[in-house]
Amino acid sequence: MVNPHPEQEALQNGYFLDLVLGSEDVEAFLTDLAIFSAESLSHPDSPVFCGITVLRKKRAATVATSHDRARVMDDLQSDFDSPCRTAMDQMGSVLVPDLAREYRWPEYVAAASSQGVRCILSVPLLVEGDTRAALNLYSERANDFTEADIERAEVFASHASKSLRLALKIAQLSDARNDLAAAMQSRTVIDLAVGAIMAQNHCSQEEAFTILRTASSNRNIKLRHLAQSIIAAVSSGKVTTHFEE
């Protein structure tokens, strides 16, 4: 594989980092990545469409595309044994020089042949765990991806993989933060409801919590929801925590 010029590599890595930091979520990042990939790997006289497929729990799904045509082709790759699935299984690039002369995936070829795409290149993206992903490139012209194009796409995918792993980690941290905030909000509401029960019944904290838990069970209402109704009855203000932004 040919390594890119250090300055070009630094520019690519910097751009991918900007994509990660500038995207609202992983889906938005992948959409930006698909568009950027298509623009970067297109030829002046032959546009390239790009789709990104992710495989989780043995089920493949299209998560981002640069064009509606790429989404149709990616959805077909998810439905059949295909170049994309082979690339993810073997963790190596798969080239279809001319779909009209391809025989390796007969069901996929039969379904995809009417879409006007002739040349396909699927390059795996390296992610963590059991998740697999691939960058799928489509051209209307046969034999459109040269050896140099394949090497360039593989280097491109390598940089994109690093940014994808970073985006996934940021998403996981964001989810964990949101879960913590929700848990603290729930805990605050329950504690305030226990305090209200203590004041009304002149009982201990443990006794008040037992009263609340018993009422929740008898009424078949979640503890948090019952606590919220109690607080709403004794307060006109919104319950907040110090963890809210």
Side-chain angles (χ1 to χ4, degrees):
M1 182 183 296
V2 177
N3 293 324
H5 191 280
E7 292 183 358
Q8 181 184 7
E9 183 176 6
L11 287 172
Q12 282 188 351
N13 283 330
Y15 186 83
F16 288 138
L17 180 59
D18 288 341
L19 281 185
V20 173
L21 298 178
S23 301
E24 295 181 357
D25 50 37
V26 174
E27 184 177 354
F29 163 72
L30 289 174
T31 298
D32 289 339
L33 176 60
I35 295 171
F36 180 64
S37 300
E39 293 175 349
S40 300
L41 299 172
S42 288
H43 299 152
D45 58 342
S46 179
V48 168
F49 310 116
C50 178
I52 297 175
T53 296
V54 174
L55 179 68
R56 291 192 184 98
K57 297 180 180 179
K58 299 183 179 181
R59 295 189 63 181
T62 303
V63 294
T65 60
S66 66
H67 193 276
D68 289 341
R69 295 189 66 183
R71 178 167 296 280
V72 172
M73 294 297 296
D74 260 33
D75 287 344
L76 289 174
Q77 295 226 55
S78 298
D79 292 339
F80 300 98
D81 188 21
S82 63
C84 173
R85 284 184 174 270
T86 301
M88 290 190 290
D89 289 342
Q90 299 179 355
M91 289 306 295
S93 299
V94 174
L95 174 67
V96 177
D98 186 354
L99 194 63
R101 299 177 180 273
E102 182 56 63
Y103 301 99
R104 283 175 287 181
W105 307 276
E107 292 182 336
Y108 170 72
V109 170
S113 293
S114 62
Q115 299 302 320
V117 168
R118 294 290 298 275
C119 194
I120 301 171
L121 175 62
S122 292
V123 183
L125 296 170
L126 182 61
V127 291
E128 297 177 345
D130 296 332
T131 301
R132 300 288 180 90
L135 188 73
N136 301 309
L137 304 170
Y138 306 97
S139 173
E140 298 175 337
R141 189 169 63 183
N143 303 300
D144 202 27
F145 298 121
T146 65
E147 286 294 328
D149 291 329
I150 296 172
E151 291 174 345
R152 185 162 169 249
E154 288 174 343
V155 173
F156 190 88
S158 175
H159 298 323
S161 295
K162 296 176 184 177
S163 298
L164 176 56
R165 292 197 297 272
L166 175 60
L168 290 172
K169 287 185 179 296
I170 291 174
Q172 290 171 355
L173 290 174
S174 178
D175 290 343
R177 182 199 64 183
N178 293 337
D179 290 344
L180 176 61
M184 293 305 301
Q185 174 72 14
S186 178
R187 184 71 259 177
T188 297
V189 170
I190 292 172
D191 286 344
L192 289 173
V194 167
I197 294 172
M198 290 172 63
Q200 291 175 347
N201 295 273
H202 303 287
C203 61
S204 68
Q205 182 180 10
E206 183 178 353
E207 290 171 334
F209 183 75
T210 299
I211 293 172
L212 180 64
R213 185 175 57 190
T214 301
S216 171
S217 178
N218 291 340
R219 299 181 188 180
N220 196 26
I221 301 175
K222 289 185 177 180
L223 194 66
R224 181 182 73 256
H225 294 165
L226 180 58
Q228 287 174 335
S229 66
I230 292 173
I231 296 305
V234 299
S235 173
S236 59
K238 177 185 176 183
V239 176
T240 61
T241 74
H242 296 295
F243 293 87
E244 293 184 347
E245 296 181 348

